[in-house]
Amino acid sequence: MDIGLASKAAKRSYGGEGGSYTSWGPDDLPMLCVASIGASKLHLHNCGFAAPSYSDSSKVAYVLEGSGVCGLTIPEAERERVIPVKEGDTLAIPFGYVSWWFNPNDSDLTVLFFGDTSKGHQPGKFTDFHLTGPTGIFTRFTPEFVSRAWDLAETDVAKLVHNQSNMGIVKLKDSQKMPAPSAKDRDGLVVNCYEAPLDVDIKGGGCVVVLNSKNLPTVELVGLGADLVRLRGGAMCSPGFSCDSAYQVTYVVKGSGRVQVVGVDGKRMLETKVSGGQLFIVPRFFVVSKIADPEGMEWFSIITTPNPVFSHLAGRTSVWKAISPEVLEASFDTTSELEQLFRSKRTSDEIFFPAK
């Protein structure tokens, strides 16, 4: 099974004075196409504005740094949701939702997007449809059609459609007014991973916040689950795999560490060091483990099921603790003494193993 899993950084797609849009593609990471997963980042400077667009793919958005505003227009809703966002926020955005992003602050706003491209035009890559700008939908309708649709004179249509010369991202003037965000608009659409209750918290090891249909209902519409993991310095994340046929796509948010992935026929498919800004993919049923460098490592992952289930191969909850001693002894072709020694280890550690 010859597949490329090497970690990669995103490549710039477009941008300007207001910010940039970068993405990963199947040419660099072929597994994105196999898994039908898209991945990209939006980077907005002060007064940067990502104009309204919609996508052919459902997405999970994670705010990597900064704060700002996200506008969401839900199909058949009477008004848009104007959502204040900050570092650690996660939003699930089903396809068909129109969204825009704005950064009113001096510090940059960076947002990571993962999504399911199985129903998109290009597996492994988002296709976004812009409503304005040189690639906007209405630039290719004839003036007659747009005039009839909007009930405007063709001269007014021309001003609206062709005034914006920038593609996707612009820098707004200081005098440009924007709608004020409402904290109420976050309800049911946003979970902050730094403020949510921890699903796992191992002293000296690490902690996890899992995002699923229980705490973020819209992930059911998106069809993806997600988690934020913080691994302490020198700690290890237990070898494990997704036991519900899901792919796992991981973005390293902060820090660095080592990753190993083992797949079919016990072949090591990936052995590498990863650091902030890099992305890698774990195929279905492949086993992955990570060890953080001294400064620790933090990563955000999506899993291609809204309620993922993992099986671990080390620690208190591992399959080894459940398998009977006789089966374990026979499987390893070992002595009962060594089997007992093996079973006596990691009886209290779960998922994360602190540095020795």
Side-chain angles (χ1 to χ4, degrees):
M1 192 177 190
D2 186 16
I3 55 177
L5 301 182
S7 57
K8 301 284 186 178
K11 292 184 178 179
R12 182 184 174 97
S13 297
Y14 61 86
E17 191 178 358
S20 61
Y21 181 84
T22 60
S23 63
W24 293 265
D27 291 342
D28 298 315
L29 282 171
M31 281 302 298
L32 287 174
C33 183
V34 176
S36 291
I37 292 294
S40 64
K41 282 197 297 185
L42 174 66
H43 192 76
L44 294 179
H45 304 312
N46 171 244
C47 291
F49 173 56
S53 66
Y54 63 93
S55 178
D56 66 348
S57 306
S58 297
K59 299 178 182 179
V60 171
Y62 178 72
V63 181
L64 293 168
E65 64 175 349
S67 60
V69 184
C70 171
L72 276 183
T73 301
I74 301 171
E76 299 182 0
E78 295 182 357
R79 68 172 184 88
E80 68 178 350
R81 304 280 285 268
V82 184
I83 304 166
V85 295
K86 59 184 178 180
E87 183 178 347
D89 278 352
T90 304
L91 301 83
I93 306 174
F95 56 74
Y97 283 36
V98 174
S99 65
W100 54 263
W101 298 79
F102 176 59
N103 180 16
N105 305 304
D106 292 332
S107 57
D108 289 346
L109 170 66
T110 305
V111 185
L112 172 71
F113 297 97
F114 283 147
D116 174 11
T117 65
S118 60
K119 296 181 180 179
H121 288 275
Q122 302 178 71
K125 189 175 182 179
F126 296 135
T127 301
D128 294 325
F129 294 83
H130 300 280
L131 299 189
T132 63
T135 59
I137 294 296
F138 289 98
T139 61
R140 291 300 177 263
F141 277 106
T142 62
E144 177 196 2
F145 268 59
V146 182
S147 175
R148 287 283 301 274
W150 291 350
D151 192 22
L152 289 174
E154 290 189 13
T155 53
D156 293 327
V157 165
K159 293 176 183 177
L160 281 174
V161 172
H162 299 292
N163 270 12
Q164 183 55 266
S165 59
N166 295 294
M167 174 182 167
I169 299 173
V170 300
K171 184 177 177 65
L172 299 183
K173 298 176 182 178
D174 291 338
S175 59
Q176 177 67 53
K177 292 183 178 180
M178 294 294 285
S182 169
K184 290 183 179 180
D185 283 350
R186 291 172 58 91
D187 294 347
L189 293 176
V190 184
V191 170
N192 187 277
C193 290
Y194 294 135
E195 299 173 355
L198 297 174
D199 293 277
V200 177
D201 188 10
I202 307 297
K203 184 178 180 180
C207 59
V208 184
V209 170
V210 177
L211 301 167
N212 52 35
S213 58
K214 294 180 180 178
N215 56 7
L216 189 59
T218 45
V219 300
E220 196 78 55
L221 299 175
V222 171
L224 301 171
D227 59 29
L228 179 74
V229 179
R230 285 169 279 178
L231 195 61
R232 310 300 183 209
M236 180 183 196
C237 182
S238 166
F241 63 95
S242 169
C243 54
D244 47 8
S245 189
Y247 291 90
Q248 185 175 2
V249 185
T250 297
Y251 176 87
V252 182
V253 178
K254 300 173 184 176
S256 61
R258 291 175 289 147
V259 178
Q260 292 187 3
V261 177
V262 176
V264 179
D265 294 328
K267 183 178 179 181
R268 188 185 307 134
M269 303 302 300
L270 179 66
E271 182 177 13
T272 189
K273 179 168 182 172
V274 295
S275 57
Q278 292 184 308
L279 177 145
F280 64 94
I281 304 173
V282 180
R284 295 180 296 175
F285 301 110
F286 282 31
V287 178
V288 59
S289 184
K290 312 171 187 75
I291 297 178
D293 286 340
E295 74 270 26
M297 183 165 64
E298 180 177 320
W299 66 83
F300 183 82
S301 297
I302 59 107
I303 304 93
T304 56
T305 178
N307 296 291
V309 179
F310 287 93
S311 185
H312 294 277
L313 299 176
R316 182 178 63 82
T317 58
S318 76
V319 297
W320 298 121
K321 302 303 183 187
I323 292 176
S324 61
E326 295 83 2
V327 172
L328 195 152
E329 188 177 324
S331 298
F332 281 117
D333 189 20
T334 189
T335 64
S336 60
E337 290 78 15
L338 186 53
E339 185 279 329
Q340 290 171 17
L341 177 64
F342 175 68
R343 189 177 295 276
S344 69
K345 302 295 184 179
R346 299 292 187 204
T347 56
S348 59
D349 297 324
E350 180 182 352
I351 303 178
F352 301 129
F353 311 139
K356 292 185 177 180

